[in-house]
Amino acid sequence: MNFETLSQWRRAAFCAAMAQRNINHVLLFSDMWEQDPQPFNKLLSKTWAFLQGELKSIENLERFFNEFDQWQTALLADQESFGAEAAQQACQSLYSASYGLLDESANDCELVQLSNQQLLTEFAELGNDSEELIERHREFEVGVFELLTAGKPKRETVIAVQKLAQEEEESSLGISLS
């Protein structure tokens, strides 16, 4: 996947898809620490809305971004567990998606992709069977990239990427909250 060929909104949509896919990591971790995940949920929702053209105000997006950034910093401060790493990876994906819309030169797609791969590798090193999860996540990334490069109109593409990211109840690590 050559992320350098993607436009600004496509890079942001890729990162938003990774955040959406792994939202369960944040919801579970914030629940464990009795923190309200609302800043994550709101920024993810606003990011999708901005990408779809429903939210027009970059200042509005930036306000939610700043609230989220403070929240994630507090949530993950001094946390050193696999659950914290999983939550941090999802937060990093969302941060990269939103920041990518605020800064045209930002391109964290490879970083987001690498952090997902590292999380899955560490999951396997903890003794978990992860071959199927790794393959499923790779297929998901390829599916997102294919949608982003199919040449369809922006709104149609973003809706398709968001739908794909929401289809699975399980995160990349197989975590389901239902």
Side-chain angles (χ1 to χ4, degrees), residues 109 147 149 157:
C109 293
L147 286 171
T149 57
T157 299

Side-chain angles (χ1 to χ4, degrees), residues 57-174:
S57 169
I58 195 78
E59 291 80 16
N60 193 358
L61 181 67
E62 190 170 15
R63 183 172 56 84
F64 285 103
F65 173 80
N66 290 334
E67 289 173 14
F68 161 78
D69 193 30
Q70 290 176 356
W71 172 83
Q72 76 159 346
T73 300
L75 176 70
L76 298 168
D78 302 321
Q79 296 293 335
E80 294 190 24
S81 67
F82 186 74
E85 286 181 45
Q88 182 176 3
Q89 191 285 322
C91 286
Q92 176 189 4
S93 297
L94 180 55
Y95 182 97
S96 295
S98 301
Y99 188 74
L101 294 171
L102 299 172
D103 180 351
E104 191 176 318
S105 67
N107 183 359
D108 289 347
C109 293
E110 286 182 15
L111 178 64
V112 166
Q113 186 181 44
L114 181 61
S115 67
N116 261 306
Q117 291 168 355
Q118 289 173 332
L119 194 63
L120 285 160
T121 299
E122 188 173 338
F123 188 67
E125 289 171 354
L126 291 172
N128 297 293
D129 183 17
S130 62
E131 285 180 35
E132 184 181 317
L133 293 174
I134 290 169
E135 179 58 26
R136 195 181 78 195
H137 187 72
R138 189 191 67 71
E139 288 173 5
F140 173 70
E141 285 183 345
V142 168
V144 169
F145 196 81
E146 287 175 353
L147 286 171
L148 291 172
T149 57
K152 303 273 188 198
K154 180 180 177 182
R155 181 171 165 72
E156 182 181 329
T157 299
V158 170
I159 290 170
V161 168
Q162 183 180 11
K163 183 179 182 237
L164 179 63
Q166 291 173 328
E167 279 178 355
E168 288 281 333
E169 287 187 25
E170 292 184 354
S171 71
S172 62
L173 295 175

Side-chain angles (χ1 to χ4, degrees), residues 21-78:
R21 174 74 185 265
N22 289 322
I23 192 173
N24 291 351
H25 302 167
V26 173
L27 298 178
L28 182 62
F29 191 75
S30 59
D31 185 56
M32 287 172 45
W33 292 99
E34 298 177 353
Q35 297 293 316
D36 184 1
Q38 190 66 9
F40 184 96
N41 293 332
K42 272 198 168 171
L43 181 59
L44 184 58
S45 173
K46 296 294 182 185
T47 299
W48 285 123
F50 192 86
L51 283 164
Q52 291 176 22
E54 295 171 1
L55 175 66
K56 306 275 189 227
S57 169
I58 195 78
E59 291 80 16
N60 193 358
L61 181 67
E62 190 170 15
R63 183 172 56 84
F64 285 103
F65 173 80
N66 290 334
E67 289 173 14
F68 161 78
D69 193 30
Q70 290 176 356
W71 172 83
Q72 76 159 346
T73 300
L75 176 70
L76 298 168
D78 302 321

